[in-house]
Amino acid sequence: MLDIIYWPVSAILWFWHKAFGFVFGADSGLTWTLSVVFLVFTLRLVLYKPFVKQVRTTKQMQELQPQIKELQKKYKNDRETMAREMQKLQKDHGFNPLMGCLPVLVQVPVFLGLFHVLRSFNRTGHGFGQLGLSAEENANLGNYIFSATDVQSFLSARIFGAPIAAFITAPTNELQAFADWGGTPSRMSIALVAIPLMIIAGVATHFNARASVQRQTPEAAANPQAAIMNKLSLWVFPLGVMVGGPFLMIGILLYWVANNVWTYGQQHLVFGRMEKEEEEKKAKKLEQRAQNAPKPGAKPVDVRKKQDAPAEDSASTNGTAASNGTPKQSAKQGGGQRRPGGQKRPGNRGRANQKRKR
């Protein structure tokens, strides 16, 4: 049912085995180790763009936290309306929650595919998914794209005396499958390789989680769900790698270490680019402000004075007209000069006296 995953994974592993086999030899433990490591690098390179999208989605989700909290507070008694408003908010900002989970969802089947392909190099076990073959039958049966010769090459490959497909808690009958191909490995030799890889994988998982948590905003870190996930990624997941390490093949532990090394470098690369983008945006804003500002030596223009100037001109014009019209109006209203007692003098007094003299 999962052959759609097993065949591509085995094909990528086969390609890198052939490539490094030309340099170090087909049966070399270093060849098979590098094949597993570059299988991880190949898959992570394919998932690079989804990873960048995941980081941007996570950052966008942190920026939307205040608005999400307001919606949750406003519609706490109306789940249907809150869900509708949340979808509207996500649509308005181009936010897709699925992109935040896509890289992880893709890596899970790849991990399971690699686990199955590596375990299928030794099918002498009787557990779940095992075929219970004899050592001879196993060595002469191909493994997906790998031929029987490739299976024998894998069984004879050693890393410091330990087969890549071996694990600390492997049953004795499974370890007998390596007898004709380099000798039966001891549990001590397996543990001396597996335990350091377990520790490195656990520590690398912790530091990758810490780097991710440190980049969270205070609002996002204060979210109860985010706080729980942070604790899981910081402590539970690394501890799970070390606790489950004795049950994992050395090849899977190599996968885990290589995956964490890639993640650590990729995080610094992607976050560094995003910080540069933020700095460029800030620089552009400052440049626009500088362009809108008055040039050095130029007199700043007060917009309010320009608006007040027409009103002052009209007021002064009206005042001048009023002052010019006052004497005429007073002369008309007065009708002549007044005596000291306040009585009016007749305006034609002088003319009557002149007539009498004549």
Side-chain angles (χ1 to χ4, degrees), residues 82-92:
M82 183 174 67
R84 187 167 58 251
E85 291 296 326
M86 291 279 285
Q87 291 178 357
K88 183 180 178 182
L89 178 67
Q90 294 171 1
K91 185 178 179 180
D92 293 341

Side-chain angles (χ1 to χ4, degrees), residues 118-306:
L118 291 180
R119 191 175 67 164
S120 297
F121 280 106
N122 184 2
R123 292 149 289 188
T124 58
H126 296 276
F128 177 77
Q130 291 283 44
L131 300 178
L133 303 177
S134 65
E136 185 178 357
E137 289 174 337
N138 178 68
N140 290 282
L141 182 66
N143 179 22
Y144 293 97
I145 200 171
F146 292 99
S147 64
T149 304
D150 295 329
V151 172
Q152 296 169 12
S153 172
F154 186 85
L155 293 174
S156 61
R158 297 289 189 273
I159 304 175
F160 301 106
I164 297 177
F167 53 99
I168 297 175
T169 58
T172 305
N173 63 322
E174 290 190 29
L175 295 179
Q176 292 296 327
F178 303 98
D180 296 334
W181 314 100
T184 303
S186 65
R187 296 189 187 279
M188 181 60 68
S189 63
I190 298 172
L192 290 175
V193 177
I195 291 175
L197 289 175
M198 289 160 47
I199 296 173
I200 294 172
V203 172
T205 303
H206 171 77
F207 277 102
N208 280 332
R210 176 179 287 185
S212 180
V213 170
Q214 287 177 347
R215 291 185 174 93
Q216 291 180 353
T217 60
E219 293 80 6
N223 190 347
Q225 295 179 351
I228 294 173
M229 288 303 301
N230 290 341
K231 290 181 180 179
L232 289 174
S233 59
L234 282 172
W235 306 108
V236 178
F237 294 161
L239 184 62
V241 175
M242 290 189 281
V243 171
F247 304 93
L248 298 176
M249 289 176 289
I250 291 176
I252 296 298
L253 294 174
L254 288 170
Y255 168 89
W256 206 282
V257 171
N259 190 58
N260 277 282
V261 170
W262 180 278
T263 301
Y264 187 81
Q266 187 171 254
Q267 277 187 347
H268 282 272
L269 176 64
V270 173
F271 283 111
R273 287 183 176 179
M274 291 179 66
E275 289 175 359
K276 286 183 179 179
E277 290 176 1
E278 292 293 332
E279 291 177 357
E280 289 177 358
K281 289 180 180 178
K282 291 180 180 179
K284 286 182 179 179
K285 289 182 179 179
L286 293 174
E287 185 178 354
Q288 289 178 354
R289 290 181 182 178
Q291 290 177 354
N292 295 332
K295 296 181 180 180
K299 185 178 180 181
V301 179
D302 193 347
V303 181
R304 291 178 299 179
K305 288 185 177 180
K306 285 187 175 181

Side-chain angles (χ1 to χ4, degrees), residues 50-68:
F51 175 82
V52 175
K53 188 67 176 178
Q54 175 195 7
V55 174
R56 294 187 183 277
T57 300
T58 304
K59 184 179 179 182
Q60 192 177 18
M61 184 174 63
Q62 294 175 1
E63 293 174 351
L64 292 177
Q65 280 299 316
Q67 299 181 44
I68 292 174

